[in-house]
């Protein structure tokens, strides 16, 4: 190739590198300590103290262990906050294992239906290849959990506790995806042999029965009715008999989930603000709630979250947690936590839209906003409840700077009452359908 790298070029690069006095010093620092440690900054003068002008009391954090259920933990935690306050149940927890079971089962059916619908296309077709790349996984979005709750309800963690496989999901996911790909071969062959659709569906039902068995062995068979005993924070005894998962949700949470809507901030040219969007092939429950996003500018996006916090309610949100942050120990989401640009003398600046368009960033993790620090009405930092246990940050809570939120937060969920009338009208419109691989279809999955 005429544009291949020549030895002369390499010699020039090496000479320039060695002519700089700092090169060997930095080489020793980076090779010994790693890029992040060598570029860690102190951000002198910045206030990262966990003190906020609006600070909701939400109790101890949960722990999703080695699973990608952050979106479930975050959503159920927002409901837990309400339930704990209403019924005086400190540190009460809902069963993430229960919603996990039904999500796995429903995602399998979702995959089968999409495989049947695309059976006339070759496996090299981009949509088919996208389906087969990961038939199902742990990740999800707010609307997907609502679809599960609408159909199956929820239960207390004490009724359907965690198992080895819910805490450490890789083994189950690997096996289930192997099965789903094998089943895809059979279903595609049946469709392409002009097998009557009722026979294809009959075979699919047999395959789903196998998935149910796999999930029951791995997570335990989920309850249909149960009795629940508890003592509240005042030591009063309560017993609820003959509950179903749906009646439990209605009595102890009681939310109208249709009021809780997804707001995104995606400043790309293909998604004008104040319009709604959905994503082709994204979901879990066939015939269930549609994934739907209202795209707002960042100021309106933040204001919706602030309005809900002021009313005393926490906020589910999705972000790209690993970008320019130190979430695992210090629990700090801040653009200045590392300065790789100065270390390597490079320019990494991109706009938020460019990062989305060029696959540099998308939503990877869901958490809960439980506080905000307002100075003269403007947010400066946000309090974040994570689901990685108490060893992260301040007993599991993190600090997110407002600048970081602007660049790497993509989604919040708020009650429609905290939107303006114009925003509510925009949210009610029919959504534009985006392609399956659009970044706004990214699933929160980080463990």
């Amino acid at each position: 190739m005429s544009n291949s790298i020549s030895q002369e070029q390499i010699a020039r690069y090496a000479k320039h590198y060695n002519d700089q006095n700092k090169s060997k010093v930095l080489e020793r620092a980076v090779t010994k300590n790693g890029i992040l440690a060598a570029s860690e900054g102190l951000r002198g003068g910045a206030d990262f103290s966990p003190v906020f002008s609006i600070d909701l009391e939400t109790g101890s954090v949960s722990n999703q262990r080695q699973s990608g259920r952050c979106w479930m933990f975050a959503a159920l935690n927002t409901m837990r906050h309400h339930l704990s306050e209403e019924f005086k149940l400190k540190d009460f927890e809902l069963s993430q294992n229960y919603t996990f079971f039904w999500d796995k089962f429903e995602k399998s059916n979702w995959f089968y239906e999409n495989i049947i619908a695309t059976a006339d296309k070759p496996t090299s077709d981009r949509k088919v290849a996208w389906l087969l790349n990961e038939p199902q996984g742990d990740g999800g979005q707010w609307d997907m959990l609502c679809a599960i709750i609408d159909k199956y309800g929820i239960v207390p963690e004490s009724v359907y506790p965690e198992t080895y496989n819910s805490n450490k999901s890789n083994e189950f996911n690997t096996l289930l995806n192997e099965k789903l790909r094998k089943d895809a071969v059979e279903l595609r062959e049946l469709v392409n042999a002009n097998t009557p659709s009722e026979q294809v569906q009959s075979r699919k039902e047999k395959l789903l029965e196998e998935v149910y068995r796999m999930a029951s062995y791995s997570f335990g068979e989920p309850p249909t009715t149960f009795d629940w005993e508890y003592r509240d924070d005042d030591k009063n005894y309560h017993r609820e008999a003959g509950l179903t998962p749906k009646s439990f949700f209605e009595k102890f949470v009681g939310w109208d989930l249709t009021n809780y809507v997804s707001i995104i901030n995606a400043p790309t040219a293909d998604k004008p603000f104040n319009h709604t969007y959905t994503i082709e092939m994204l979901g879990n429950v066939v015939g269930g709630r549609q994934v739907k996003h209202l795209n707002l500018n960042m100021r309106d996006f933040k204001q919706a979250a602030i309005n809900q916090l002021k009313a005393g309610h926490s906020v589910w949100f999705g972000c790209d947690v690993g970008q320019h942050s130190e979430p695992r120990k210090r629990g700090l989401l801040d653009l200045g936590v590392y300065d790789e640009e100065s270390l390597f003398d490079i320019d990494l600046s991109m706009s938020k839209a460019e990062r989305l368009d060029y696959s540099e960033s998308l939503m990877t993790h869901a958490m809960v906003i439980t506080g905000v620090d307002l100075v003269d009405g403007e947010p400066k930092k946000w309090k974040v409840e994570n689901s990685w246990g108490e060893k992260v940050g301040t007993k599991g809570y993190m600090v997110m700077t407002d600048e970081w939120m602007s660049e790497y937060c993509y989604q919040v969920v708020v009650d429609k009452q905290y939107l303006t009338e114009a925003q509510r009208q925009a949210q009610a419109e029919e959504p534009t359908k985006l392609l399956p691989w659009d970044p706004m279809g990214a699933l929160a999955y980080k463990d």
Side-chain angles (χ1 to χ4, degrees), residues 52-75:
F52 306 87
S53 59
I54 298 175
D55 191 348
L56 308 185
E57 185 63 44
T58 51
S60 300
V61 301
S62 52
N63 194 334
Q64 68 191 78
R65 307 293 178 181
Q66 293 173 270
S67 70
R69 296 175 290 164
C70 57
W71 58 292
M72 285 184 182
F73 273 76

Side-chain angles (χ1 to χ4, degrees), residues 57-306:
E57 185 63 44
T58 51
S60 300
V61 301
S62 52
N63 194 334
Q64 68 191 78
R65 307 293 178 181
Q66 293 173 270
S67 70
R69 296 175 290 164
C70 57
W71 58 292
M72 285 184 182
F73 273 76
L76 292 178
N77 281 342
T78 63
M79 298 173 194
R80 173 176 65 88
H81 298 157
H82 162 79
L83 189 157
S84 297
E85 181 178 358
E86 182 76 13
F87 295 93
K88 298 182 178 180
L89 287 172
K90 183 180 180 181
D91 296 334
F92 169 80
E93 194 156 346
L94 294 164
S95 174
Q96 292 87 6
N97 189 29
Y98 178 81
T99 49
F100 201 43
F101 178 101
W102 290 118
D103 182 61
K104 294 297 183 187
F105 184 65
E106 288 285 350
K107 277 177 178 171
S108 297
N109 187 50
W110 184 274
F111 173 77
Y112 289 146
E113 286 297 307
N114 278 301
I115 284 295
I116 291 168
T118 58
D120 61 327
K121 303 179 185 298
T123 54
S124 59
D125 176 84
R126 188 173 182 185
K127 290 181 181 179
V128 178
W130 182 84
L131 288 168
L132 294 173
N133 180 61
E134 187 180 46
Q136 65 77 43
D138 287 357
Q141 293 198 4
W142 171 269
D143 288 318
M144 294 165 67
L145 184 65
C146 290
I148 293 294
I149 294 175
D150 287 342
K151 189 170 182 176
Y152 298 104
I154 56 176
V155 302
E157 198 271 343
S158 61
V159 170
Y160 192 69
E162 294 290 302
T163 70
Y164 174 92
N165 296 292
S166 62
N167 279 327
K168 192 174 181 180
S169 59
N170 183 63
E171 292 177 18
F172 182 83
N173 284 330
T174 298
L175 186 61
L176 180 56
N177 282 336
E178 181 179 0
K179 171 181 165 48
L180 294 178
R181 292 188 183 101
K182 185 267 180 187
D183 294 345
V185 175
E186 181 179 356
L187 292 173
R188 284 171 57 86
E189 288 177 347
L190 287 172
V191 173
N192 289 317
N194 296 317
T195 306
S197 60
E198 59 270 19
Q199 293 183 28
V200 175
Q201 286 297 316
S202 178
R203 180 56 185 153
K204 186 201 78 171
E205 289 179 16
K206 292 293 186 182
L207 299 173
L208 275 172
E209 184 178 356
E210 295 173 357
V211 173
Y212 184 91
R213 183 168 66 245
M214 292 173 64
S216 294
Y217 287 172
S218 301
F219 308 118
E221 190 173 19
T224 55
T225 61
F226 60 94
D227 300 333
W228 182 45
E229 296 177 309
Y230 67 93
R231 285 192 183 275
D232 62 28
D233 296 340
D234 296 329
K235 306 302 181 183
N236 296 314
Y237 170 80
H238 302 264
R239 185 175 188 273
E240 298 285 341
L243 290 168
T244 68
K246 292 191 76 170
S247 70
F248 175 83
F249 175 80
E250 290 163 3
K251 180 171 183 176
F252 288 95
V253 178
W255 289 2
D256 181 353
L257 292 177
T258 62
N259 288 332
Y260 289 83
V261 297
S262 168
I263 308 301
I264 60 171
N265 176 249
T268 51
D270 63 329
K271 300 180 190 70
F273 291 135
N274 302 307
H275 292 285
T276 62
Y277 303 90
T278 189
I279 296 91
E280 185 180 0
M281 295 184 175
L282 179 63
N284 54 356
V285 178
V286 174
R289 175 163 168 160
Q290 179 188 47
V291 172
K292 183 179 181 181
H293 306 306
L294 171 63
N295 195 20
L296 296 181
N297 65 57
M298 183 48 75
R299 186 171 186 82
D300 290 345
F301 176 97
K302 292 177 181 177
Q303 190 59 54
I306 291 170

